[in-house]
Amino acid sequence: IAIYLLSTGVHTDLVLPLANAEHDWRGLINEQHTVRPDSLAHWVAFGWGDKGFYLNTPTWADLTPGTALKASFGLSGTAMHITYHRGLQEGPLCHRILLSPEAYLRLVGYIASGFARDPAGSAMPISGAHYTHSDAFYEATGRYHLFHTCNSWTNAGLKACGAKACLWSPFQGGLMDLYAPLP
């Protein structure tokens, strides 16, 4: 099963099929939580991180010392950022990874466990939080800090499913280099 490792140049996401024979993410997340639902989306990117950083820093120009300090020391909650995609283009910031069905299901379990749930077991969207028309934010589990970053979350997901992973990856470079095609 093909998945993708996608980078913004700073942050990494794990991108999985929205639905396939093994798992349908629409039981947990909902396109209606985006600004403009896209029925043609076939992929969904998952990124985990500091809630304050995600919501208050859509661009690096928006970063404040307070947001950075709170994130570094785990003084804020966490959020799951999801983005729907119609397709992906492999390149320096997007690498395809093939997983067995068993490994894929371990990765699904890892990602699903990152969503905070309400008493009924549903993922909890963060109302009004968006970067684009095709993304949404949800409350998440865990604690972000200087030694447990968005990229180390992605790395832990790759470890959980038995894929190649770094010993530790606080930054995106190690992960992206690991999956870069050989020259």
Side-chain angles (χ1 to χ4, degrees):
I1 298 168
I3 68 161
Y4 292 87
L5 176 63
L6 183 64
S7 175
T8 66
V10 174
H11 171 88
T12 53
D13 286 341
L14 293 166
V15 187
L16 284 71
L18 179 58
N20 62 14
E22 283 69 33
H23 186 74
D24 188 340
W25 285 104
R26 294 171 294 195
L28 179 64
I29 58 175
N30 190 325
E31 286 181 19
Q32 299 304 314
H33 297 143
T34 65
V35 173
R36 191 176 337 134
D38 183 356
S39 62
L40 299 178
H42 294 287
W43 300 92
V44 61
F46 297 91
W48 173 95
D50 180 80
K51 183 177 178 181
F53 197 97
Y54 262 142
L55 301 183
N56 299 321
T57 313
T59 70
W60 286 109
D62 300 311
L63 181 61
T64 65
T67 298
L69 285 171
K70 285 180 181 177
S72 295
F73 295 103
L75 302 175
S76 180
T78 54
M80 188 72 73
H81 180 227
I82 62 145
T83 307
Y84 292 91
H85 296 274
R86 288 184 178 190
L88 295 158
Q89 181 73 35
E90 287 184 74
L93 298 177
C94 183
H95 300 305
R96 184 174 171 216
I97 301 168
L98 294 176
L99 299 177
S100 70
E102 297 79 17
Y104 178 78
L105 288 174
R106 287 193 304 272
L107 182 59
V108 165
Y110 171 80
I111 294 169
S113 72
F115 284 85
R117 311 288 178 108
D118 66 16
S122 298
M124 300 182 298
I126 300 172
S127 182
H130 307 280
Y131 289 160
T132 69
H133 68 277
S134 61
D135 73 336
F137 288 89
Y138 290 81
E139 298 289 347
T141 61
R143 188 169 154 239
Y144 181 103
H145 52 77
L146 189 59
F147 301 105
H148 184 57
T149 68
C150 53
N151 297 307
S152 59
W153 179 85
T154 299
N155 190 54
L158 294 170
K159 286 180 182 178
C161 71
K164 289 189 302 186
C166 299
L167 181 61
W168 183 51
S169 186
F171 308 108
Q172 63 88 37
L175 282 170
M176 297 311 289
D177 290 348
L178 192 61
Y179 283 97
L182 296 174

